Amino acid sequence: VAEGVALLYHCDLVFCGEHALFALPNIALGKTPLYGISLLAVKSAGYKLAAQKILLSEPISPSEAIAMGIINHVLEDDKVLPQTFLAATRLGNLPPKALNATKRLLKAAYLSGTKEQKELEQETFDQLVDGAEMKEAFNAFMEKRKPNFD
């Protein structure tokens, strides 16, 4: 789930239905963020909202996903695919060199510092990946019970 939300931070355009839910449950699963999410969430949402959603592993509503920079627009559920198709068609009709150059500029600005943050995230994740906390969190999740970290 968190990996999917991390992927959305790297997309140019994201539309979702009004009943969509997102989450960044890394900590609840005994993991730490990866893929630059700790930097991108803070850059997009501000520290307070990013900390709330990441530290508490709270569900993220569509309106919160907009505030956090995860998505661009919330649509009625049955309008997501048609709107996505329209956006893709519009992009496909733009001058490709100008489009690609502009995307490169936007991504460079947005992703500045991400490489270093991803390295720090991976190092931190690797320190916890086979630990007792992560195993207990995962087992509790699979067994639908509250984890015991004592």
Side-chain angles (χ1 to χ4, degrees):
V1 172
E3 289 77 9
V5 172
L7 177 64
L8 296 179
Y9 270 111
H10 294 280
C11 293
D12 297 315
L13 301 171
V14 179
F15 305 108
C16 80
E18 59 199 338
H19 295 99
L21 278 179
F22 304 90
L24 294 164
N26 299 73
I27 292 176
L29 297 174
K31 303 186 305 182
T32 57
L34 286 171
Y35 312 115
I37 198 79
S38 60
L39 176 68
L40 299 176
V42 170
K43 278 180 140 179
S44 296
Y47 178 81
K48 296 291 188 185
L49 184 55
Q52 176 185 337
K53 294 303 180 180
I54 292 172
L55 295 176
L56 298 177
S57 299
E58 291 183 345
I60 301 167
S61 70
S63 62
E64 291 170 324
I66 286 178
M68 293 184 70
I70 297 169
I71 64 170
N72 297 83
H73 197 66
V74 180
L75 303 162
E76 293 177 25
D77 292 331
D78 62 341
K79 297 197 171 152
V80 174
L81 286 177
Q83 181 62 38
T84 302
F85 181 76
L86 285 173
T89 301
R90 171 122 174 111
L91 287 172
N93 290 326
L94 294 171
K97 287 182 181 176
L99 177 64
N100 289 332
T102 302
K103 283 180 56 160
R104 196 169 42 255
L105 292 169
L106 291 169
K107 288 291 185 182
Y110 181 63
L111 296 176
S112 65
T114 304
K115 179 181 179 212
E116 296 82 7
Q117 190 71 14
K118 285 170 66 176
E119 289 170 0
L120 179 60
E121 286 175 345
Q122 189 66 55
E123 178 184 311
T124 305
F125 182 89
D126 290 346
Q127 292 171 0
L128 299 174
V129 74
D130 288 324
E133 284 185 0
M134 185 182 280
K135 288 176 184 173
E136 172 58 17
F138 180 77
N139 288 335
F141 174 78
M142 295 303 290
E143 297 167 7
K144 299 182 191 247
R145 64 173 171 80
K146 185 176 178 182
N148 181 0
F149 297 115
D150 294 331

